[in-house]
Amino acid sequence: DHGEGHSPSFSSRPIPARRRSTPRVAYREVPERAVRAAASIERSFGSGTLSGAVELELAPAPDAPGVEVEFAEPDGPAAEFRPALAACLVALAAVGPACGHPLSHARVVVRGRRRDGGVDSEAGLLQAVGSAWHELLQTLEVRLEEPLMAFEVLSPAEYARGVIGDLESRGAELSEVQS
């Protein structure tokens, strides 16, 4: 008790950034149907040539939590270029076409398109992937998926019914209720 005429004192010291919490909730963009796009790059500079040709197919994959990248066999890009191409596509999928939220539940299949006997370069393939991705996003239809979170709620028994009702009214799926 502070007695009459005394008010409690509170510290107005700012909370350090590491202790502040902000919601880490992200919406996802989910493709509605499969789309395809292709691109090729052929640039000469000095004594070198930058070349690459790819075809991308992005399709819904309800079983994939994020974006899976696959390379078509036997007509996919050379094995030594695949890690860089996969990393590039995962990075591109982090920004969806509708609202800028990451793509989710999607599978990207990469095929090589070069039929003229030319030799692809990693930089050329990366530029071709970027161009094909840009074209692909022009026709991609997505739906916005609300975030899903898993968490545990502890409540005194006398409030449990109200807490459960509130969670269910918000669309929560309860997996286990203990008393």
Side-chain angles (χ1 to χ4, degrees):
D1 185 43
H2 294 287
E4 278 187 42
H6 291 41
S7 59
S9 62
F10 296 98
S11 171
S12 62
R13 182 173 49 95
I15 299 170
R18 69 182 184 287
R19 291 181 53 199
R20 280 187 222 138
S21 66
T22 56
R24 298 187 192 286
V25 177
Y27 289 85
R28 302 282 184 205
E29 296 183 29
V30 179
E32 293 284 354
R33 61 180 179 79
V35 293
R36 284 185 174 201
S40 61
I41 300 292
E42 193 72 40
R43 296 198 175 110
S44 296
F45 54 94
S47 63
T49 301
L50 187 67
S51 63
V54 295
E55 180 182 306
L56 303 178
E57 178 181 4
L58 188 140
D63 56 320
V67 175
E68 293 180 351
V69 178
E70 295 178 1
F71 294 93
E73 295 295 342
D75 64 345
E80 67 263 20
F81 302 138
R82 292 179 180 191
L85 296 174
C88 177
L89 285 163
V90 168
L92 289 168
V95 181
C99 303
H101 299 295
L103 284 174
S104 182
H105 304 300
R107 183 170 292 112
V108 180
V109 178
V110 183
R111 293 177 177 82
R113 273 194 51 227
R114 185 163 290 285
R115 304 288 184 255
D116 62 5
V119 178
D120 289 330
S121 66
E122 184 175 301
L125 283 169
L126 288 169
Q127 286 188 15
V129 162
S131 294
W133 186 262
H134 180 72
E135 182 182 323
L136 186 136
L137 291 185
Q138 303 303 312
T139 58
L140 182 62
E141 296 173 13
V142 295
R143 76 180 189 297
L144 196 59
E145 185 178 86
E146 293 189 23
L148 296 175
M149 297 177 284
F151 55 90
E152 182 177 301
V153 177
L154 300 174
S155 164
E158 62 266 20
Y159 298 115
R161 181 173 281 167
V163 170
I164 290 171
D166 184 47
L167 291 170
E168 288 177 341
S169 73
R170 296 171 190 255
E173 295 178 16
L174 305 177
S175 61
E176 185 178 330
V177 178
Q178 296 178 354
S179 57

